[in-house]
Amino acid sequence: MRRDRSRFGRHLCRHRRRPLRRDAISAHSSTIRDAKDVAAELETAIEKIGTAPTGPASVEWPTDLQYLASPEGQRPFDVTVDEAVTPDPDAVARAALLLADAKSPLIWLGGGAANAAAEITDLAHRLGAGVLTSNSGRGIIPETDDLVIGNFATTPAVRALIEDADVLLAVGTHFRSNETASYRLALPKNLIQIDIEGSTVGRVYPAAVGIVSDARDALAAIADQVTTAAAPSTWRDRVTMVRHAVRDDLTSYIGGYAEICSAIRAALPAESVIARDVTIPSSQWGNRLLPILDRGTNVFPLGGGIGQGLAMGIGAAHARPDVPTLVIAGDGGLAVHLGELASLAGSGAHVVVLIFNDGGYGVLRNMQEKNGFRRSGVDLFTPRFDLLAASMEMPYHLVKGAGSIAQALDAAVAHHGSSIIEVDVEAVVPVPGPFVPPVHVPEQPKAN
């Protein structure tokens, strides 16, 4: 028996030291193999995080090497960053020609356009182009701009607009499935796609013109050649009309949530981060209707998993301590990371935690009901959030029905510390329309 344990232990040691496949989730990954390489590997990872295409870095640092590392004796390092790719002149010329001749142009912004706000704003207004965005592209142009339609591409009104568009300029977007109706959204044949990652160009939709380059460099080069625009003023007017129509439709559909959406924007400075966990209010209107005025305030979990919102909000609050941070969470998502409330209380960060309490996993409830499944595993025993807030010495406000959200938000913002606001979803009036995510569920085979 002792021999088997020893063999098992040796197997575990070998397994721990085997490099992990971190490259699947990280823009950069490395393994520290010598205690003298620690500083070099960490400095390289930090540099890669801020280098386009940006993304997280993973560094595997084995425990035994952590004990051996010291500031002395570190090897010299010199972080090298790949030079920016110059946009191809022929591709730029073809893109500029298409845009200059366009009668009904549209622009689609993803997170990769974040560094090109001035260039894309100027070009959009010069062309009279409507601006669609992914969730990541929100706020690159403030969503108060009359040309910004936003994250509404799959709505009927915007689908009709896309059908009549003759050119689409896509910048830094991967065309994610939930933002393209599982890739069934039809886009114009004249698709110009700009991305610093060459494998992205034409991967989801065929690109008539592909430009592999930093967004700012490519857009500046295109703008130099687009001196005139052919789009009539009627197209710009239609874009603005559609912009207002989709917002009016969603405002009407979400009932009493509309008051909460408006109150949030009124209570928060433009620079306040809005960290949205995966919950019905976020997915239904927070990711689309709630105006984002600064791209840096648009924080949400790209992976789609619940429970991350509070931790992201705490981090954001420490990055922007001069303004309040708002966390939008559901009772189910917050239950996954309830312990983070203690981290928040201990930090003293200026965070308003807005909890939408429907007693369970509302999204899954709606999916079960719509697809004819029995209701199962979606109802939770949730804590008394007033008592939980008291145990953390946080101010607590309950929003139950119309007319109280603005006062609760104003009090929480004025507190200059951590606060909890609970929204009783069952008391929201008018009753919001149901939200079911655009997830395809195969039909169940019928019994013979």
Side-chain angles (χ1 to χ4, degrees):
M1 183 67 70
R2 185 175 301 161
R3 184 184 308 162
D4 290 342
R5 258 201 307 264
S6 176
R7 185 180 306 150
F8 181 62
R10 288 198 301 271
H11 171 73
L12 281 180
C13 287
R14 289 197 299 271
H15 180 73
R16 280 200 299 266
R17 295 297 296 274
R18 187 178 301 151
L20 304 176
R21 283 301 306 275
R22 301 175 306 281
D23 54 330
I25 58 171
S26 302
H28 168 79
S29 63
S30 66
T31 299
I32 295 173
R33 302 184 183 279
D34 190 309
K36 297 178 181 179
D37 294 339
V38 172
E41 293 293 350
L42 294 179
E43 289 287 350
T44 299
I46 292 168
E47 185 66 33
K48 293 292 185 181
I49 288 172
T51 303
T54 59
S58 297
V59 178
E60 182 185 19
W61 189 354
T63 305
D64 53 348
L65 296 183
Q66 293 176 27
Y67 292 122
L68 295 175
S70 69
E72 294 76 27
Q74 293 292 309
R75 70 171 170 83
F77 61 89
D78 183 16
V79 178
T80 59
V81 178
D82 295 336
E83 294 184 4
V85 179
T86 302
D88 178 67
D90 291 338
V92 168
R94 286 184 284 131
L97 184 61
L98 285 174
L99 291 169
D101 291 341
K103 301 294 192 297
S104 48
L106 291 174
I107 297 171
W108 188 312
L109 301 181
N115 73 332
E119 289 79 6
I120 200 67
T121 302
D122 176 70
L123 189 60
H125 281 270
R126 194 183 309 178
L127 296 172
V131 180
L132 311 176
T133 73
S134 68
N135 204 0
S136 293
R138 298 184 64 201
I140 294 174
I141 302 177
E143 292 185 335
T144 50
D145 192 302
D146 277 345
L147 290 179
V148 176
I149 297 168
N151 188 22
F152 286 88
T154 59
T155 61
V158 179
R159 283 176 185 255
L161 193 72
I162 294 173
E163 287 179 5
D164 292 338
D166 54 6
V167 178
L168 174 63
L169 171 62
V171 186
T173 180
H174 291 180
F175 294 116
R176 297 174 72 201
S177 61
N178 62 332
E179 293 162 349
T180 58
S182 296
Y183 312 115
R184 294 192 299 269
L185 185 67
L187 298 184
K189 291 182 179 179
N190 286 331
L191 170 62
I192 304 165
Q193 188 170 3
I194 299 172
D195 203 288
I196 199 167
E197 179 58 56
S199 64
T200 298
V201 177
R203 184 170 65 194
V204 177
Y205 289 92
V209 180
I211 302 176
V212 179
S213 170
D214 176 80
R216 180 188 295 164
D217 294 342
L219 291 167
I222 291 172
D224 286 343
Q225 298 186 34
V226 180
T227 56
T228 60
S233 59
T234 52
W235 177 252
R236 181 190 291 261
D237 293 341
R238 183 179 172 191
V239 164
T240 300
M241 180 186 71
V242 169
R243 162 190 160 76
H244 291 296
V246 293
R247 282 167 169 75
D248 290 345
D249 288 347
L250 185 54
T251 298
S252 176
Y253 185 76
I254 63 175
Y257 280 146
E259 178 192 2
I260 298 175
C261 182
S262 298
I264 289 173
R265 189 67 278 167
L268 296 178
E271 301 80 16
S272 285
V273 169
I274 302 173
R276 305 183 301 283
D277 202 71
V278 177
T279 186
I280 285 179
S282 294
S283 300
Q284 187 178 39
W285 50 268
N287 291 343
R288 296 192 286 169
L289 187 63
L290 178 60
I292 299 296
L293 310 178
D294 169 6
R295 201 257 173 178
T297 67
N298 182 33
V299 175
F300 64 98
L302 277 170
I306 66 172
Q308 304 170 56
L310 180 54
M312 293 189 300
I314 295 171
H318 285 281
R320 294 193 175 190
D322 296 332
V323 290
T325 291
L326 179 75
V327 173
I328 296 178
D331 56 296
L334 191 63
V336 176
H337 283 160
L338 272 179
E340 294 294 344
L341 284 174
S343 300
L344 173 59
S347 73
H350 193 181
V351 175
V352 180
V353 184
L354 183 60
I355 306 169
F356 289 85
N357 188 357
D358 63 359
Y361 299 121
V363 171
L364 298 181
R365 276 197 203 118
N366 292 348
M367 290 179 67
Q368 289 176 355
E369 181 176 345
K370 180 180 179 180
N371 292 282
F373 298 114
R374 67 183 179 88
R375 184 159 163 167
S376 176
V378 293
D379 298 310
L380 297 175
F381 184 86
T382 56
R384 281 271 306 273
F385 288 107
D386 57 336
L387 299 181
L388 189 60
S391 71
M392 302 288 181
E393 298 182 354
M394 292 187 194
Y396 167 86
H397 309 272
L398 176 64
V399 173
K400 194 175 182 69
S404 56
I405 181 62
Q407 182 178 359
L409 281 169
D410 288 344
V413 167
H415 173 60
H416 292 283
S418 306
S419 303
I420 289 178
I421 300 176
E422 179 184 357
V423 176
D424 182 353
V425 170
E426 297 297 322
V428 172
V429 289
V431 177
F435 171 77
V436 180
V439 177
H440 173 67
V441 178
E443 292 185 5
Q444 298 296 303
K446 295 181 180 179
N448 293 329

